[in-house]
């Protein structure tokens, strides 16, 4: 991969250019997974001052984009631009809503689903976009994932299917058996309880529209 730029406490990176990389989605996900594990190790070793615990949020998207030297004749950067880049940035910010650390888009999921355990998180329309996208949390390589992680992913997917089909009571029953400390579980507990009190309209398609970045 290429480290594109540092933006405050953020890093932007891309795969597939300047050299072709047919495994760009896999390599991006593996880099994210290794970052997550390394940060957990550093937190455990308490390497930060005053026992600070650091958290990360990563968004990964795949798609067409413009790549090359952008700028003017005297000042330019080799970088990537386009809607696909912007979506990756939006996905990073969603981690705060669901309590996750690595969120991938459906285009990435389609390329890595056989090699990584992922769980569906939501169907969202990010700020500035009307076309919804299904998002997933990356839970790790299949070879490393525990049975509990695989079961959690499966049960969450069953719950989400019921949720999309407006079976909120059925989704609620499944949610009540899941870890209460998981923020995404709390998100859906709140949604299902609210929809049972105030059912959505006939045209409801399950898309969660985000008002902020």
């Amino acid at each position: 991969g290429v480290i594109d730029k540092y933006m405050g406490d953020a890093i932007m990176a891309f795969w597939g250019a300047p050299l072709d990389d047919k495994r760009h989605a896999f390599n991006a996900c593996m880099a994210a997974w290794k970052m997550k594990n390394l940060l957990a190790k550093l937190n455990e070793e308490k390497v930060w001052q005053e026992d600070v615990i650091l958290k990360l949020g990563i968004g990964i998207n795949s798609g067409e984009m413009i790549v090359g030297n952008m700028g003017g004749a005297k000042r330019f950067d080799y970088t990537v631009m386009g809607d696909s880049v912007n979506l990756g940035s939006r996905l990073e910010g969603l981690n705060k809503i669901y309590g996750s650390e690595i969120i991938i888009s459906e285009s990435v999921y389609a390329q890595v689903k056989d090699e990584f355990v992922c769980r569906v998180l939501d169907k969202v329309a990010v700020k500035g976009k009307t076309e919804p996208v299904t998002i997933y949390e990356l839970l790790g390589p299949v070879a490393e994932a525990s049975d509990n992680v695989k079961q959690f992913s499966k049960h969450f997917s069953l719950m989400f299917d019921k949720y999309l089909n407006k079976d909120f009571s059925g989704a609620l029953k499944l949610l009540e058996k899941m870890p209460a400390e998981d923020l995404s579980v709390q998100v859906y507990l709140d949604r299902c309880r609210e929809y049972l009190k105030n059912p959505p309209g006939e045209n409801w398609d399950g898309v969660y529209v985000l008002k902020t970045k």
Side-chain angles (χ1 to χ4, degrees):
V2 175
I3 295 180
D4 182 297
K5 58 178 66 76
Y6 297 93
M7 302 168 288
D9 63 348
I11 298 170
M12 176 177 166
F14 57 86
W15 282 255
L19 302 177
D20 185 35
D21 180 4
K22 297 188 185 306
R23 300 267 285 165
H24 58 272
F26 172 87
N27 288 329
C29 289
M30 186 57 76
W33 181 248
K34 289 184 176 182
M35 288 169 63
K36 170 185 161 75
N37 288 341
L38 179 57
L39 183 59
K41 181 174 180 288
L42 294 173
N43 280 331
E44 191 176 319
E45 294 173 354
K46 298 183 178 180
V47 301
W48 321 116
Q49 293 181 354
E50 301 174 357
D51 292 336
V52 169
I53 299 296
L54 294 183
K55 296 183 178 180
L56 54 71
I58 298 174
I60 306 176
N61 185 38
S62 176
E64 292 187 356
M65 56 194 71
I66 299 169
V67 58
N69 290 326
M70 313 289 180
K74 294 184 179 180
R75 184 179 177 88
F76 59 84
D77 285 318
Y78 184 83
T79 188
V80 288
M81 296 176 66
D83 284 347
S84 295
V85 181
N86 295 337
L87 178 56
S89 175
R90 297 288 189 268
L91 297 184
E92 180 273 322
L94 297 185
N95 285 288
K96 296 175 183 177
I97 296 177
Y98 304 98
S100 53
E101 291 182 293
I102 307 171
I103 290 180
I104 65 175
S105 66
E106 57 192 46
S107 62
V108 175
Y109 173 74
Q111 298 175 69
V112 303
K113 61 183 179 181
D114 294 330
E115 296 168 296
F116 285 89
V117 176
C118 308
R119 67 156 168 154
V120 62
L121 270 182
D122 210 345
K123 191 176 178 183
V124 301
V126 299
K127 184 175 175 60
K129 300 292 178 184
T130 55
E131 190 70 24
V133 58
T134 303
I135 60 173
Y136 299 81
E137 180 184 11
L138 190 80
L139 298 176
V142 171
E144 297 180 25
S146 67
D147 290 340
N148 286 342
V149 167
K150 292 175 182 176
Q151 283 294 105
F152 180 51
S153 173
K154 182 179 178 181
H155 290 161
F156 204 89
S157 179
L158 291 173
M159 178 283 299
F160 190 65
D161 285 342
K162 290 182 180 294
Y163 172 81
L164 289 182
N165 288 309
K166 298 184 182 179
D167 180 8
F168 302 118
S169 59
L172 200 58
K173 289 178 181 177
L174 290 175
L175 286 163
E176 288 169 347
K177 298 177 182 178
M178 297 181 193
E181 65 273 12
D182 189 289
L183 184 56
S184 61
V185 171
Q186 289 299 322
V187 166
Y188 280 97
L189 281 170
D190 292 342
R191 287 189 196 177
C192 289
R193 287 166 180 160
E194 178 60 30
Y195 284 140
L196 284 170
K197 291 179 184 176
N198 303 293
E202 289 184 8
N203 295 327
W204 184 80
D205 57 4
V207 175
Y208 184 68
V209 180
L210 295 152
K211 306 297 184 184
T212 62
K213 294 182 181 180

